[in-house]
Amino acid sequence: MKELKPRIHENGIDYILVGDYYIPDLKLPKDSQRPIGHWGSLRKAYLQLYRPKACNDLVFSGRLNTVLADLNEQASDRLSLIMDQMAEAEGVTEQVKAKNQMLWVQSMNSIRNRAEEIIKQEMIYCD
């Protein structure tokens, strides 16, 4: 029969006795199955490096993956919106694609790079 280890509950966190010490018994929430994606990974790295306290607060509250997954979805949607707006403003259309594919690819790559920089400044590397 498996012996249960002593547990305590304090400040909303469960602790389990390991040896002579109680350590937090942290579990990821069920929502953690959502992928954090490219943008969520960038934000996580930024938080770990430049905002470790905020990162730890999110980890200990069990909200880190949810916040990162939400950010990834919002950033992806915003990227698509910005790219569409830039392409329309610069006249990069399907007609351009039909006439000169290389020019269209160059233009779209330029638009994508600029849009990604906007996303990074507005959503990833901000406080």
Side-chain angles (χ1 to χ4, degrees):
M1 187 159 144
K2 186 176 180 181
E3 181 180 326
L4 295 176
K5 295 187 178 189
R7 297 176 158 276
I8 60 172
H9 183 79
E10 187 174 304
N11 298 327
I13 299 175
D14 290 326
Y15 292 84
I16 188 167
L17 183 64
V18 177
D20 294 335
Y21 301 98
Y22 282 96
I23 61 170
D25 187 19
L26 302 176
K27 295 180 179 86
L28 292 175
K30 295 191 187 323
D31 192 32
S32 67
Q33 302 304 318
R34 291 171 50 208
I36 63 171
H38 172 71
W39 300 111
S41 296
L42 288 176
R43 181 66 176 169
K44 182 179 180 181
Y46 172 79
L47 289 173
Q48 289 173 332
L49 191 58
Y50 295 105
R51 300 289 180 258
K53 183 181 180 322
C55 186
N56 286 338
D57 290 344
L58 288 170
V59 168
F60 289 131
S61 68
R63 297 181 310 127
L64 179 65
N65 280 7
T66 302
V67 168
L68 295 176
D70 288 346
L71 176 90
N72 187 62
E73 292 169 7
Q74 293 167 4
S76 296
D77 292 344
R78 179 109 170 95
L79 178 68
S80 295
L81 178 67
I82 291 171
M83 286 183 63
D84 290 345
Q85 290 173 342
M86 286 179 153
E88 183 179 334
E90 295 176 19
V92 181
T93 62
E94 290 297 315
Q95 288 81 15
V96 173
K97 185 178 180 181
K99 288 180 185 176
N100 189 342
Q101 290 181 353
M102 288 306 293
L103 176 63
W104 182 85
V105 169
Q106 289 171 344
S107 299
M108 289 306 292
N109 283 340
S110 174
I111 288 170
R112 181 174 198 66
N113 289 335
R114 288 181 282 146
E116 285 180 352
E117 287 302 316
I118 291 170
I119 297 298
K120 288 176 184 176
Q121 291 301 313
E122 289 181 353
M123 301 178 79
I124 308 302
Y125 304 130
C126 63
D127 292 323

